[in-house]
Amino acid sequence: MFDEILEKFEGSPSQQAVIRLFLERGFSVNEEGRVVSGGIEIPYTGIARELDVDRRVVDSTTDAILADPELKRIFTNISSVPSLMDLAPVLDLTVLTIEVAAADEAGIVAEVTGILADRGVSIRQVLSEDPEFTDDPKLYVITDADLSGDLLVEIRDLDYVRRVGF
């Protein structure tokens, strides 16, 4: 899906950068062509500054989104999800990071969270990067508890796990 979206902006690396940012941050485009997060409008100038592109690139990208029925359906319905990862040190949470060999394999989240549940570890949040959106997707599990070394080894020893960190 991600590649198909980017193909629509094949001739413009700057517009592709805008699209990537919208997808990464969960920014949507409302019916008036404004970039929003929930009901809060994000100024084109701020987006342009972040990406080091001209403000008009953002404007033309939102116009293209609204002109394409498939893109419009995606970008008028996308939303962001708050992440506890950056707050983990402040809230005394543990972030378990799992890199896998085949991120599109079924059951990865279920098996990892099952292992944690079997050990009585309470999970606050699970975030899984989409293999279509990133080259090296990771699974992040945020917990209230410190994780023991033998638990990390058990997860690391799963067939599909390349690396475990926290």
Side-chain angles (χ1 to χ4, degrees):
M1 173 188 73
F2 184 64
D3 289 338
E4 293 168 9
I5 292 170
L6 288 179
E7 279 178 23
K8 293 179 184 266
F9 298 93
E10 196 170 36
S12 176
S14 295
Q15 284 185 318
Q16 286 181 336
V18 172
I19 290 296
R20 278 191 189 92
L21 181 75
F22 287 5
L23 291 169
E24 288 170 5
R25 305 276 174 87
F27 291 164
S28 59
V29 177
N30 67 18
E31 294 293 335
E32 293 79 40
R34 302 289 183 222
V35 179
V36 294
S37 178
I40 301 170
E41 188 173 326
I42 313 294
Y44 288 175
T45 53
I47 295 166
R49 193 174 324 115
E50 169 94 7
L51 297 171
D52 196 27
V53 300
D54 190 280
R55 170 195 60 76
R56 293 172 292 196
V57 173
V58 180
D59 187 36
S60 64
T61 305
T62 59
D63 288 346
I65 287 169
L66 292 178
D68 182 296
E70 183 181 11
L71 292 177
K72 182 177 180 181
R73 187 172 44 86
I74 293 168
F75 286 98
T76 57
N77 289 297
I78 195 169
S79 62
S80 61
V81 175
S83 168
L84 293 175
M85 285 190 348
D86 292 334
L87 289 173
V90 176
L91 300 176
D92 200 28
L93 301 174
T94 299
V95 179
L96 174 63
T97 304
I98 303 164
E99 297 178 33
V100 296
D104 54 353
E105 193 173 307
I108 294 171
V109 174
E111 188 166 14
V112 169
T113 57
I115 290 169
L116 293 170
D118 289 346
R119 298 279 188 105
V121 176
S122 175
I123 298 171
R124 295 281 300 268
Q125 188 174 49
V126 176
L127 300 168
S128 177
E129 294 176 334
D130 190 318
E132 287 195 36
F133 292 158
T134 183
D135 293 332
D136 188 26
K138 296 174 184 65
L139 173 66
Y140 302 97
V141 183
I142 296 101
T143 72
D144 283 331
D146 291 331
L147 304 177
S148 67
D150 62 321
L151 174 62
L152 296 174
V153 169
E154 183 178 350
I155 292 171
R156 185 200 64 205
D157 287 345
L158 296 171
D159 291 338
Y160 49 79
V161 173
R162 285 192 345 231
R163 183 183 342 220
V164 174
F166 67 97

